[in-house]
Amino acid sequence: MENISIIIAGVGGQGLVLATRILSEAAFSQGLDVKTNDVVGLSQRGGTVWGSVKMGEKIYSPNILPKEADIILGMEPLEALRWSHILKDGGKIILNTNRVYPTPVLLEKEPYPEEAIEGLKEKFEVIEIDAQKEAEASGNIKAANTILLGLVSKYLPIEDQVFEEVLKAHVPPKAVEENLTAFYRGKRYGS
């Protein structure tokens, strides 16, 4: 099996740390070697956050070099754009279309880079999804990150039952069924 490198990019409050943990623990539970890290210091102010997960037979470092990532899980479009330099040619971007505008955009000092985000489709395989809308339809708008995990799982060598067990271990008991519904809604998206 070839190693798989994933960048998860978002802003504070989108559940990136939990998604990174679930993804890495599912890979480990599947018997893969896994290395992961995340940077979340700015999350308290709604700032940029990111995580990396590398999985395979033998992984030596969680760091992903430019042009090495297989998948960007973009929890926010601008953050996916910011990390696109790290994606392999022909790599995949799973793009949550729900925007979280940064302060310079809110203050009308900078435009939101719609054209540059749209331009990602010329270089990469971009799979767009409104994760909030899909999460709401699955019964819990807070499960947008689980929708995205379901969608990314289509491209990973991890069995669904492994994801189920890891999800059950990490979400509150009262939200387990909604998160399982969200996971499978994401998994079926576009099929």
Side-chain angles (χ1 to χ4, degrees):
M1 172 196 158
E2 287 189 34
N3 293 342
I4 299 172
S5 299
I6 303 167
I7 288 287
I8 305 170
V11 297
Q14 290 187 300
L16 182 138
V17 172
L18 181 59
T20 301
R21 182 177 301 133
I22 289 170
L23 192 55
S24 59
E25 287 190 24
F28 182 76
S29 295
Q30 187 68 47
L32 302 172
D33 189 20
V34 181
K35 300 288 186 285
T36 184
N37 64 17
D38 51 46
V39 174
V40 296
L42 297 173
S43 65
Q44 294 178 349
R45 298 190 182 269
T48 299
V49 293
W50 63 271
S52 69
V53 177
K54 289 175 77 172
M55 62 183 77
E57 288 187 34
K58 185 64 183 159
I59 304 295
Y60 296 97
S61 168
N63 298 328
I64 302 173
L65 301 175
K67 301 289 185 185
E68 188 180 86
D70 298 288
I71 300 170
I72 292 177
L73 181 55
M75 295 183 142
E76 199 285 328
L78 175 57
E79 299 309 318
L81 175 65
R82 287 183 189 182
W83 282 95
S84 62
H85 71 281
I86 209 148
L87 195 59
K88 288 179 180 177
D89 293 337
K92 287 183 183 21
I93 299 176
I94 295 173
L95 187 69
N96 181 10
T97 58
N98 192 282
R99 286 146 172 67
V100 179
Y101 296 108
T103 302
V105 173
L106 291 173
L107 295 175
E108 299 180 353
K109 294 186 181 217
E110 291 181 22
Y112 193 82
E114 300 284 350
E115 287 181 28
I117 292 167
E118 189 66 24
L120 292 171
K121 295 176 184 175
E122 296 170 14
K123 299 178 190 174
F124 309 108
E125 179 183 351
V126 178
I127 303 152
E128 294 180 301
I129 183 170
D130 184 338
Q132 279 71 14
K133 180 180 171 186
E134 296 295 323
E136 188 172 14
S138 70
N140 185 351
I141 195 160
K142 295 178 183 178
N145 59 348
T146 309
I147 293 281
L148 294 169
L149 284 171
L151 184 49
V152 77
S153 76
K154 292 165 64 166
Y155 308 102
L156 302 176
I158 303 171
E159 296 172 13
D160 291 346
Q161 67 188 38
V162 172
F163 270 109
E164 283 185 25
E165 293 307 313
V166 174
L167 277 166
K168 288 176 185 175
H170 287 287
V171 299
K174 65 181 182 178
V176 166
E177 287 307 314
E178 292 167 342
N179 274 273
L180 290 175
T181 300
F183 176 82
Y184 284 109
R185 188 174 184 89
K187 180 102 179 176
R188 290 188 303 271
Y189 185 80
S191 298

